[in-house]
Amino acid sequence: FEVTRFWPFESRKVRLWGIDAAEAKQACGQECTAALAKLLQGRIVYIRRIKGLTYGRDVYRVALPTGHDVAAAMVRQGWAWD
């Protein structure tokens, strides 16, 4: 998925740390992407880089301001596995 930072303005594709999920072109990939977009839509997220490039993207832990982990939410909803 893509993360946008507001200062300085920057956008990049990242991998969520700790889970595996269908890629957009795989079976159920579009649905998985839509579920993640719905979870994040209009929300501020906090990101922390865990490690460098994996499959061309940095790996980040992503959390909502409530402290809830986005990857864990995707697992709970059945869209990913850990």
Side-chain angles (χ1 to χ4, degrees), residues 1-3 5 12-19 36 39-40 44-52 54 57-76 82:
F1 76 99
E2 195 165 313
V3 171
R5 289 180 16 188
R12 71 175 68 171
K13 291 190 180 220
V14 302
R15 293 181 65 81
L16 289 175
W17 177 78
I19 64 169
L36 180 60
L39 179 65
L40 299 178
I44 293 171
V45 295
Y46 297 98
I47 62 172
R48 182 171 51 122
R49 186 171 178 259
I50 301 297
K51 64 181 178 176
T54 302
R57 293 173 279 178
D58 287 335
V59 180
Y60 286 84
R61 181 168 215 151
V62 180
L64 300 172
T66 59
H68 290 98
D69 185 81
V70 171
M74 291 295 287
V75 171
R76 278 193 307 277
D82 55 4

Side-chain angles (χ1 to χ4, degrees), residues 4 9 15 22 28 30 35 42 51 65 76-77 80:
T4 301
F9 184 77
R15 293 181 65 81
C28 297
Q30 294 294 322
K51 64 181 178 176
R76 278 193 307 277
Q77 293 177 13

